């Protein structure tokens, strides 16, 4: 399970992403999305953990003030956390996608 403070932050990031306030970069080769602001930078990566036989999301967060890196991991056994990150990952990809209409 992800920490409560991180979940609250991710929910706010999701709302800002869906509102078009954050523009993400998508790296299809690395299967990750990244965003950077003066306050923070974050990468969300999706992969399959062969040891656990589970899909997982990894969050790499770096605060603007301290620049200390933090890494958080959740997999599909933590359904609520996983679904939030899946929604954020998809919304983040959409910010760098050009749709025809």
């Amino acid at each position: 399970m992800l920490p409560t403070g991180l979940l609250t932050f991710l929910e706010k990031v999701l709302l800002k992403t869906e509102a078009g306030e954050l523009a993400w970069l998508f790296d299809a080769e690395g299967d990750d999305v990244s965003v950077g602001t003066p306050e923070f930078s974050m990468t969300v990566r999706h992969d399959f953990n062969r040891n656990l036989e589970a899909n997982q999301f990894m969050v790499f967060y770096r605060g603007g003030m301290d620049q200390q890196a933090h890494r958080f991991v959740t997999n599909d056994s933590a359904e609520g956390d996983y679904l939030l990150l899946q929604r954020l990952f998809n919304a983040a990809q959409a910010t760098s996608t050009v749709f025809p209409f």
Side-chain angles (χ1 to χ4, degrees):
M1 278 186 76
L2 296 174
T4 303
L6 176 63
L7 289 171
T8 301
F9 176 72
L10 291 173
E11 289 169 352
K12 292 175 184 176
V13 168
L14 174 60
L15 291 174
K16 287 183 173 290
T17 300
E18 291 179 335
E21 296 175 31
L22 293 174
W24 294 71
L25 300 173
F26 175 59
D27 176 6
E29 191 171 311
D31 208 13
D32 60 39
V33 290
S34 300
V35 65
T37 74
E39 292 121 344
F40 74 97
S41 62
M42 184 168 59
T43 298
V44 178
R45 179 175 298 144
H46 177 265
D47 74 352
F48 183 76
N49 183 320
R50 287 184 173 83
N51 293 331
L52 297 175
E53 295 188 9
N55 287 299
Q56 67 182 21
F57 283 103
M58 293 178 285
V59 177
F60 302 92
Y61 174 85
R62 192 176 295 266
M65 294 293 236
D66 63 11
Q67 286 298 304
Q68 184 174 358
H70 304 273
R71 180 175 172 244
F72 305 93
V73 179
T74 190
N75 63 42
D76 52 12
S77 68
E79 190 173 319
D81 296 355
Y82 184 85
L83 291 175
L84 173 64
L85 280 166
Q86 184 177 46
R87 186 171 164 199
L88 176 59
F89 190 82
N90 288 335
Q93 283 185 75
T95 67
S96 64
T97 304
V98 178
F99 297 105
F101 52 88

